[in-house]
Amino acid sequence: MSQEKMAFWRRNPHVEKERRVKANARDYNDKFSYADNRIKTSKYNIFTFLPVNFFEQFQRVANAYFVVLLILQLIPEISSLSWFTTIVPLVLVLVITAVKDATDDYFRHKSDRQVNNRQSQVLIRGSLQNEKWMNVRVGDIIKLENNQFVAADILLLCSSEPYGLCYIETAELDGETNLKVRQALTITSDLGDVLKLMDFDGEVICEPPNNKLDKFTGTLHWRDNKYSLDNEKMLLRGCVLRNTEWCFGMVIFAGLQTKLMQNCGKTKFKRTSIDKLMNTLVLWIFAFLICMGVILAIGNTVWETWVGTRFEVFLPWNEFQSSAVFSGFLTFWSYIIILNTVVPISLYVSVEVLRLGHSFFINWDQKMYFSQTDTAAEARTTTLNEELGQVEFIFSDKTGTLTQNIMVFSKCSINGQTYGDVYDEFDQKVEITDRTACVDFSFNPLSDGAFKFYDGSLVEAIKQEVPAVEEFFRLLALCHTVMPEEKSEGNLVYQAQSPDEGALVTAARNFGFVFRARTPETVTLWEMGRAVTYQLLAILDFNNVRKRMSVIVRNPQGQIKLYSKGADTIIFDRLDPSNEDLMNTTSEHLNEFAGEGLRTLALACKDLDEEYFEVWLKKLLFVSTGIENREDQLALLYEDIEQGMKLLGATAVEDKLQEGVPETIACLNLADIKIWVLTGDKLETAMNIGYSCNMLRDDMNEVFVISGHTLLVVQQQLRSAKERILGLSRVSTAGEIEKTHMYAEDSVFEEAIIAEYALVINGHSLAQALEPQLEHLLLDLACLCKTVICCRVTPMQKAQVVELVRRHKRAVTLAVGDGANDVSMIKTAHIGVGISGQEGMQAVLASDYSFAQFRYLQRLLLVHGRWSYFRMCNFLAYFFYKNFAFTLVHFWYGFFCGFSAQTVYDQWFITLFNIVYTSLPVLAMGLFDQDVNDQNSLRYPSLYKPGQQNLLFNKRQFFLCALQGMTTSFLLFFIPYGAFSVLVKEDGSHFSDQQAFAVTIATSLVIVVSVQIGLDTHYWTAVNLLFVWGSLMVYFAILFAMQSDGLFGIFPSNFPFIGTARNCLSEKSVWLVILLTTVVCVMPGLVISLLRVDLFPTLTDKVRRLQQSRKRQGPQEQNLRRVRRTSSRRSAYAFSHQQGYGELITSGKNMRTGPGTSASSPQRTAHSSNWIENMLKKKNEVSCISHQEAGATESSTGVIQTVNS
């Protein structure tokens, strides 16, 4: 538990049932010991760093194991090796890891300080004073100004806008960049003066701190009255104030108790699966070590009893050595020390060096550098690299991660004619690229310079004043809820509650129909250079059922017109029968647009008769003042007037994906990586992006939509979907399997097209499905589906979904996001990836890896991740092999030295073997080796699968490499032993000394492991060659130096093997023994390896063979062909628009009254006042957050099936 949490629980031992906060009363609020506004994401402080970090490090079994060995080596009666051989590397490992952890935590502290030291204006002792964020306390009244971040969770008291309204952007919370409205209580909305605010002493009684972003329940007690509070009165930490000059608010929750921080989750100590496996293997090796020690100790006891007693005259026992059994006991511990090198501490030093090197390779990769923002990929941790090669589940945010959150007016259909495509002189369609010439809008001084359109024929139609085209753009300029802001003459900025609306109004602006100004009663356009003011008679607002919005206006000629836009199927049902031919043509165009992944809207208009409208208006006024069934009555009236419309055309808006997203998703799918999208957006928005990314496709067997509100309904929907999948799977045809194989050699898109099912579930259904009794059913169904999309989810729900998969699936999870709303899932997943995008740096700061574009995830996993896993596995297998071969020679030697714990090699060889003689070649292999190059890693995503299945290094592989090492040690000992029994020197004398025997075995060992690493290396570099040959040369140089006359003369007790190497290695017969030993040790493994590759080749072997055959050819570009979709039209309007804005505009609440307000007729004024009264009755509904998802996706083919209860 972190220090902050421990401190919090010390301050507040009881669980908070409700919160009481009094304004301007710090002494009163301090009684409750509420959290201050300081945040803390770091793990350590200066006092806890050493104990906590060492506690974490000693969770590695090996570190504890080496401490025990160190203690044993300090006991002279049993130690046959010096203690420094263990303590130096152990301290080195602990220090390197501690420095790395301290560096990581320093950056967290730095980030915390940056946030905590932001300035805020707080009302203290009668005046506004600048305070650091961390000094803001519950109950304080703070002032926020435009474009400022909200410092804490505050209750909105008043603002610069009429009726206490203010606008906020919640991208940090839910990923949505469209503006949302908050409104203060009427009773507090006029407290804009500092003196009035000082006198404000209201008390809020509300819910305790929680993580529910969309819910708040409380009551304000002031002046003997009670006022109900809900989420529409709250500004949450992480929001940004927009289009509001200033506002005042009262702090309700601060610091770690704010809803944003409650959703962040806690920082976890992450370890890789290989780390955990190594912990298990160390325990097994320790058990094996004890077994060998017991065998040798028993051997010593038996030997001392039967043989050793005869040698007591020459080898007297020590004073404390009273019996053969006690001698065996001491021998046991001596052998434990001698044989401990089966797991040398240098293994852990090497692993840390490898991980650091792999991290640098990620940081240095130019192909993951994004030049537009000067952002390089960054490995923010060095401990998880090999786990990047084992990912099975990716959990991705949508907004800012898959998409750029930029809407672009791409194409349109007007009066049966499509615009937006570019054709060459042969009338062939040309693909639009960055080099394609844009339309020149210089004829329009009010055009937006950032707007791009490529089809010049639409501009020509405007200049020729084609009536249908003019009416089309007039509708786009009138029928919306956008607010204009003219910062200077001609410098228009549109504040749209959704990016779609902004894109459409901007398109109309560029084509000469500029939306310039609005009042509650008028809309002013600039039509082809002429100012035209329309009288706004009514707004028939959007809602989730209607899926359309209409406006009724009176033009300067006195005509009354209705303009409507909405989902195409909804509009088509309300057209006049005379539009049938045009409707069919437009429908074909809509299918084309949908096939390109564009979001579509249909546009229609209607001329209204004056008398008919007057009658309708009277009905509207009557219904608006009613109490019972008002919503239903209004819907019927709207339906009545929206009949018999004339079709104008359709728009196609592109929700711009980040570059390369569909290709990346398709490629990752081929690697058997399941991608789940977890987003705060609406169901329709999320599904549309699913189609754009090719995660959802029209040829899928079924797309299940789970949208139940109760536990029973959700359970029934999940079961129904699961039964349907299992039922359909039984009748799947063999033809599909053949199709899969056929496409396997073709493009990425066509390979990925064989998916069958998709699951889409919204937030309130997910909340029920995550209950303990349903979570297994949800997980089973989700894992049967190729694609899973969860929409309208809170940050904590994202973390719960990730945790569900982590808990029940033995699979590596990766979460990727770019906003603060993604922090909790990034921390929960095995690997967290932050996209440094438009939604702040919170996700990057909490992540393990970061880069600028989603498409780099493909290279991170399929290249760096796969290589890191491959290298680490080969490194570990080789390391265990060479150390078993090196160490177990002592075991065989024990049977020939009276089990006396005498070492075969001299102590210097034992000390230097892992540190000098064999360390660099295995490091070079672990850093630079690659089975296939990066192009083929991306071209054949199936190469990634062995990592997911843990095939390259597991318990079985460990046993095989340990067995190979034991066999090698056996041969290393017994071949020279047998040879030396019959060998004679050139002068006829025998090799009778143990030192010559030791040098022969040591030299054979170094050569054998060097040859073996040469055979195990797949990719040779100059560094590998240098390290292998260099290590051999260093071995011989040190060997001859340490056994030279000079060193013996200076340190006779430390270098007793004088002249042995010179005498031994000068004999040809010794070199023949070394050659024989090397060949016999290496050949079996080489033969088995060659036979396996030839008879049972893996995909990697096949690709390597292909790579070698193509080595002389240049790199080949992969042919990625996008699969074109048909049908499944999706209305952009149903996605982005939210109910309530129309009422807000006509009420005038969001506009400052001024001298420029247009005059209106008496009838209009009367209607307006009644409309405002109606809105006042419904003032709690001005929120732009929908309580339900926008209308269901329309599909002309009926591909999407909603699972009904």
Side-chain angles (χ1 to χ4, degrees), residues 3-4 38-49 101-117 134 380 845:
Q3 292 296 304
E4 193 73 24
R38 183 191 304 268
I39 65 159
K40 179 175 179 289
T41 59
S42 54
K43 289 166 64 177
Y44 316 108
N45 61 35
I46 197 165
F47 302 109
T48 63
F49 174 71
D101 291 342
T103 305
D104 291 345
D105 210 54
Y106 166 75
F107 288 110
R108 293 192 198 102
H109 274 286
K110 190 176 177 182
S111 166
D112 290 346
R113 276 199 305 273
Q114 183 183 347
V115 173
N116 288 329
N117 289 330
M134 61 183 178
R380 299 173 57 81
L845 294 172

Side-chain angles (χ1 to χ4, degrees), residues 490 893 958 1022 1039 1075 1107 1112 1116:
Y893 184 57
F958 167 74
L1039 177 68
L1075 177 64
Q1107 180 176 304
R1112 295 179 183 178
Q1116 297 176 346

